[in-house]
């Protein structure tokens, strides 16, 4: 392994002389004394063990080795210049990456339009969305595996900042041959004897923290006969006639043949989806995205 002792400024000095082929003009352009420039080039040649310039009283010319070194130095200089620009752009939030977590409710609601608009405004930022239940997103935030989450909230963890992005009414989803499928609306208590299909209690903990108290007030607890991890699976089981479910109005975006959405007219509660992030040491892209969300949600305060 060859160890080179010259400094980065030697490359800058060499390129200046290689472009000008004149030491005095190169020194003036660099703002250094000509003797200092000449000494730096001699030190560079000594360190490399090659002659880079043929010098005479009339002219300065690159040697074959000098021309080869000039080509490589230009590539190095351009790469460094690009690296400097990139780090500044990242700091300003103009380029970089953003790891985004989301729930079924978020992706079935406003999140797609938010991401589409943000990407159009900031094409240099690469978005990496990942679906996870609220409980896992909060863990990923804690472990710095995602930058921002879209979760069912509000959440009680005070170490995060939160911004509400959507509020949805609750609806009932039934298979199309169900007696309630022809109704324009129902009351929640009419589901007391129904078989329910829900998400698993741990993964859907935050959703069920809304659902179960509402059912208790209506005089029953859901009789769960099947579980599915995500909304697509839940709706698929409903379509099979295995039971019914309570979901949010954004479920309309998951609909398939064989099911019907029926409003629940005695529920005033709304499920809230919030953006959540750790406030400290915000990198450029994340701050850019948060500023975008705040602009899209006028009158909504960060919690």
């Amino acid at each position: 392994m060859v160890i080179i002792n010259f400094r980065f400024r030697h490359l800058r000095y060499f390129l200046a002389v290689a472009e000008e082929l004149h030491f005095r003009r190169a020194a003036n352009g660099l703002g250094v004394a000509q003797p200092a420039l000449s000494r730096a080039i001699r030190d560079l040649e000594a360190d490399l063990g090659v002659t880079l310039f043929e010098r005479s009283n009339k002219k300065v010319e690159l040697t074959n080795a000098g021309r080869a070194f000039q080509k490589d130095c230009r590539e190095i200089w351009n790469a460094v210049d690009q690296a400097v620009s990139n780090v500044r752009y990242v700091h300003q939030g103009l380029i970089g990456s953003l790891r985004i977590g989301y729930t079924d409710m978020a992706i079935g609601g406003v999140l797609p339009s938010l991401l589409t608009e943000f990407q159009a405004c900031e094409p240099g930022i690469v978005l990496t969305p990942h679906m996870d239940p609220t409980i896992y997103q909060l863990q990923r935030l804690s472990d710095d595996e995602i930058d921002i989450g879209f979760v069912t909230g509000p959440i009680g963890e005070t170490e995060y900042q939160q911004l509400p992005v959507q509020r949805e009414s609750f609806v009932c989803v039934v298979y199309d041959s169900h007696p309630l499928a022809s109704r324009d609306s129902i009351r929640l208590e009419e589901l007391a004897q129904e078989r329910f299909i829900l998400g698993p209690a741990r993964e859907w903990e935050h959703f069920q923290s809304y659902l179960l108290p509402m059912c208790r007030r209506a005089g029953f607890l859901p009789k769960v006969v099947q579980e599915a991890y995500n909304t697509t699976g839940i709706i698929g089981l409903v379509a099979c006639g295995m039971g019914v479910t309570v979901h949010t109005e954004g479920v309309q975006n998951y609909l398939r043949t064989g099911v019907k959405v029926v409003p629940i007219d005695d529920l005033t509660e709304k499920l809230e989806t919030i953006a959540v992030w750790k406030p400290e040491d915000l990198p450029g892209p994340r701050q850019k995205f948060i500023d975008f969300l705040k602009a899209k949600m006028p009158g909504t305060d960060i919690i």
Side-chain angles (χ1 to χ4, degrees):
M1 178 179 177
V2 178
I3 299 176
I4 303 299
N5 296 317
F6 62 81
R7 298 180 180 180
F8 194 73
R9 65 181 173 86
H10 289 91
L11 301 187
R12 184 162 64 96
Y13 289 178
F14 166 75
L15 285 174
V17 177
E19 293 293 330
E20 293 288 349
L21 293 177
H22 195 286
F23 275 81
R24 181 175 54 79
R25 288 198 299 268
N28 290 340
L30 291 167
V32 300
Q34 182 177 334
L37 176 61
S38 298
R39 186 167 55 254
I41 296 300
R42 287 196 302 271
D43 290 344
L44 177 60
E45 290 176 319
D47 198 61
L48 293 173
V50 301
T51 299
L52 298 172
F53 296 99
E54 294 289 351
R55 306 162 177 86
S56 70
N57 291 333
K58 294 182 178 180
K59 62 181 178 179
V60 175
E61 291 184 332
L62 283 163
T63 64
N64 288 336
R67 280 188 287 272
F69 193 55
Q70 181 188 29
K71 177 179 178 295
D72 291 337
C73 284
R74 279 175 178 162
E75 293 178 358
I76 292 170
W77 195 264
N78 290 337
V80 171
D81 189 57
Q82 186 63 55
V84 171
S85 297
N86 285 347
V87 75
R88 289 173 176 165
Y89 290 152
V90 169
H91 178 71
Q92 296 165 10
L94 299 177
I95 65 172
S97 62
L98 199 61
R99 302 163 299 172
I100 299 172
Y102 64 88
T103 62
D104 274 6
M105 284 71 178
I107 204 67
V110 301
L111 185 57
S113 62
L114 289 174
L115 296 187
T116 298
E117 185 174 347
F118 180 76
Q119 192 73 94
C121 296
E122 304 292 344
I125 297 178
V126 177
L127 303 181
T128 308
H130 180 79
M131 199 282 286
D132 253 334
T134 295
I135 188 171
Y136 296 144
Q137 285 191 58
L138 296 179
Q139 184 60 53
R140 285 177 176 270
L141 277 171
S142 177
D143 295 340
D144 292 320
E145 294 176 359
I146 60 174
D147 299 303
I148 188 167
F150 286 83
V151 303
T152 299
I155 60 172
E157 287 83 348
T158 57
E159 67 267 31
Y160 301 121
Q161 289 191 325
Q162 309 172 44
L163 180 69
V165 296
Q166 75 181 24
R167 300 178 74 241
E168 298 182 89
S169 299
F170 289 89
V171 297
C172 177
V173 185
V174 299
Y175 47 92
D176 57 9
S177 61
H178 191 282
L180 297 176
S182 60
R183 297 273 295 277
D184 293 330
S185 66
I186 63 170
R187 295 178 62 81
L188 184 61
E189 63 189 28
E190 295 180 76
L191 301 178
Q193 301 306 315
E194 297 292 336
R195 298 170 299 166
F196 271 75
I197 301 167
L198 297 177
R202 174 171 171 76
E203 285 77 7
W204 286 63
E205 172 187 345
H206 288 74
F207 175 81
Q208 292 191 20
S209 71
Y210 281 83
L211 175 62
L212 297 184
M214 293 189 301
C215 290
R216 288 192 187 97
R217 288 195 296 272
F220 73 98
L221 284 176
K223 293 185 290 187
V224 181
V225 296
Q226 294 285 343
E227 292 183 338
Y229 183 76
N230 57 25
T231 296
T232 301
I234 292 171
I235 300 305
L237 293 176
V238 172
C240 293
M242 294 185 175
V244 305
T245 196
V246 171
H247 210 281
T248 58
E249 56 191 306
V251 77
Q252 299 277 357
N253 296 317
Y254 289 95
L255 286 191
R256 49 170 295 166
T257 56
V259 298
K260 173 76 182 296
V261 173
V262 184
I264 304 174
D265 60 14
D266 62 329
L267 291 182
T268 58
E269 293 91 341
K270 292 183 182 294
L271 185 136
E272 193 168 60
T273 294
I274 62 170
V276 59
W277 64 92
K278 294 168 71 174
E280 70 274 9
D281 299 324
L282 294 182
R286 180 165 44 169
Q287 187 60 59
K288 202 83 170 180
F289 188 63
I290 292 166
D291 291 342
F292 166 80
L293 287 179
K294 289 161 62 177
K296 297 299 293 183
M297 307 295 163
T300 303
D301 294 328
I302 292 177
I303 302 172

